Amino acid sequence: MNVQELVPLALPRGRPLSCELCGGPAQLRCGACHVTYYCDVDHQKADWVSIHEKICQLLIPIRTSFPFFNSEKERKHGMEQLLHRQKHLVDFTHKVAQKFVFEGKHEEAIPAALHSLRFSIDTCGPDSVELVPAYLILAEASTGLGRLTQAEEYLSQAQWIVLKTSDCSNGIQSKLHRNLGLLYAAKGNFEESLYHLATDIYFASCAFGTHDISTSGGYFHMANVFFRQNKMDIADSLYTEVTDIWHAHFSRLIQVQSQTLTTLSCMLFIHLKCFILNIDEAQQAEASQVLNAILDIREQAPKQQPAKTANVVHALAMLHYLIFDFPKASSTQKLNLKIRC
């Protein structure tokens, strides 16, 4: 990290500089990119750990003044390049924030999600439905940190945009209701939580199908609510459904891998794995978090169900295999066989 104190007399007049995280008056700037500002060292460190280290140099062409263009064609090309860079950063910062949320690193998720929100506003405007995913990640991270009032504010923004958007996708509405379900569960209002999670599952099923990994999150969070209500039979059936969905998904990916290996050399396959497997880091983090949570519940249950526990362990073994963590895949598979015996 390289940070510089701002010298007031050296700053451009009439252009107030604000902190990247809180919007307060800036006192420092990043010494590497020179285009990102902070109110104090704590906010600079938080942004660096979350996202700035990954995008520091990418911000320079976006936040630097345009050069003089000799023609309208050059100006148009420059604007297209800027928009392309901004859209790339919207997607990248969103994925980083989502991965942090799935890993339970809610504090680290917030700076990345704030970047995603700002870039979305720059590219699409302040009322676009494209802002909703960033608001939802900010809401989920705030809920995870116990900042429920802040989470409600983010969800209100997202809900207002969705209500104004006549053609809002089923996928977006699914995520909105999932976050509302999580918020009400955190408040202890389980009936309202179950209503929103059921609505989440409905919209996700319409968008992706009832047995897709995008729908499984709704089943998982609903199972957690029933678990907290001590309705163990319902929770058990939902945990089983979630496990089966991920198990089937990983089985399909391994089948694709096996078919690919028949036509590609191992070395070429390793270089192309990210294109072949169709599982990104956020999905890996979600699968790991969900399956390990279910495994903990299975292992701590008063009445053991070896077959169901083994199915969770086998799904985790396949996940490790797919991300090329072969030692973990091997040890997890051995545990799977031990449970089944």
Side-chain angles (χ1 to χ4, degrees):
M1 291 187 295
N2 181 2
V3 63
Q4 299 173 342
E5 288 191 24
L6 294 178
V7 180
L9 292 176
L11 298 177
R13 297 181 63 183
R15 182 186 159 198
L17 302 174
S18 57
C19 176
E20 192 72 23
L21 295 194
C22 69
Q27 304 295 328
L28 308 169
R29 76 174 178 182
C30 173
C33 67
H34 295 173
V35 293
T36 311
Y37 302 89
Y38 304 98
C39 63
D40 58 29
V41 173
D42 288 341
H43 279 188
Q44 189 264 338
K45 287 181 178 178
D47 192 36
W48 181 266
V49 170
S50 171
I51 189 67
H52 190 74
E53 181 182 13
K54 304 175 183 70
I55 65 171
C56 181
Q57 295 303 303
L58 299 178
L59 295 174
I60 296 174
I62 290 177
R63 293 181 173 175
T64 303
S65 299
F66 270 136
F68 177 77
F69 294 113
N70 293 318
S71 66
E72 177 62 21
K73 183 178 180 181
E74 286 184 3
R75 188 196 69 80
K76 185 177 179 181
H77 178 67
M79 293 299 293
E80 288 174 350
Q81 281 190 318
L82 174 63
L83 185 62
H84 176 75
R85 292 187 179 113
Q86 288 175 326
K87 286 183 175 180
H88 168 71
L89 284 172
V90 169
D91 183 57
F92 180 72
T93 53
H94 179 271
K95 286 180 178 177
V96 171
Q98 186 70 80
K99 182 172 181 285
F100 277 134
V101 167
F102 285 138
E103 292 173 342
K105 299 176 180 178
H106 300 110
E107 199 73 65
E108 289 90 336
I110 288 176
L114 285 171
H115 277 283
S116 182
L117 177 62
R118 292 195 191 99
F119 290 129
S120 297
I121 292 171
D122 290 343
T123 56
C124 305
D127 299 316
S128 171
V129 72
E130 300 298 328
L131 276 59
V132 172
Y135 278 126
L136 295 181
I137 291 183
L138 286 166
E140 189 170 353
S142 298
T143 300
L145 291 167
R147 301 169 188 168
L148 302 188
T149 301
Q150 183 68 69
E152 282 185 297
E153 291 178 10
Y154 287 131
L155 284 174
S156 294
Q157 292 280 357
Q159 205 164 13
W160 176 242
I161 292 173
V162 168
L163 287 171
K164 291 192 300 180
T165 307
S166 58
D167 58 344
C168 186
S169 71
N170 289 326
I172 289 291
Q173 295 194 67
S174 162
K175 291 178 180 178
L176 172 61
H177 284 282
R178 184 170 303 177
N179 275 272
L180 287 166
L182 291 173
L183 176 65
Y184 282 111
K187 288 182 170 184
N189 187 341
F190 296 138
E191 293 306 314
E192 194 70 19
S193 175
L194 289 171
Y195 164 76
H196 284 290
L197 291 172
T199 308
D200 156 32
I201 292 168
Y202 167 75
F203 281 117
S205 297
C206 291
F208 310 107
T210 55
H211 300 291
D212 190 86
I213 58 173
S214 298
T215 309
S216 69
Y219 296 131
F220 175 70
H221 293 302
M222 183 176 277
N224 288 341
V225 173
F226 283 121
F227 185 85
R228 291 174 65 182
Q229 291 181 312
N230 205 31
K231 297 179 179 178
M232 306 310 293
D233 288 345
I234 303 175
D236 178 78
S237 65
L238 288 168
Y239 287 136
T240 300
E241 178 68 15
V242 174
T243 304
D244 289 345
I245 289 171
W246 280 105
H247 193 282
H249 180 69
F250 293 147
S251 296
R252 286 192 295 271
L253 291 181
I254 287 175
Q255 185 177 11
V256 170
Q257 183 187 98
S258 299
Q259 292 170 348
T260 306
L261 280 171
T262 61
T263 56
L264 293 176
S265 70
C266 288
M267 187 57 69
L268 179 59
F269 175 75
I270 289 171
H271 286 305
L272 296 178
K273 66 180 181 180
C274 59
F275 300 101
I276 297 168
L277 295 181
N278 194 29
I279 178 169
D280 59 30
E281 289 188 347
Q283 288 176 332
Q284 293 173 29
E286 180 184 12
S288 180
Q289 183 257 331
V290 167
L291 293 171
N292 277 299
I294 295 173
L295 181 60
D296 287 343
I297 290 168
R298 295 283 185 216
E299 290 179 335
Q300 295 171 21
K303 182 181 178 182
Q304 291 293 300
Q305 302 180 77
K308 291 184 176 181
T309 303
N311 207 36
V312 181
V313 173
H314 188 219
L316 282 167
M318 288 192 287
L319 171 62
H320 296 315
Y321 176 80
L322 285 165
I323 61 176
F324 290 77
D325 189 346
F326 297 127
K328 266 192 176 180
S330 176
S331 62
T332 310
Q333 180 62 6
K334 287 176 182 177
L335 176 60
N336 169 42
L337 295 173
K338 182 179 178 181
I339 294 170
R340 292 184 186 276
C341 291

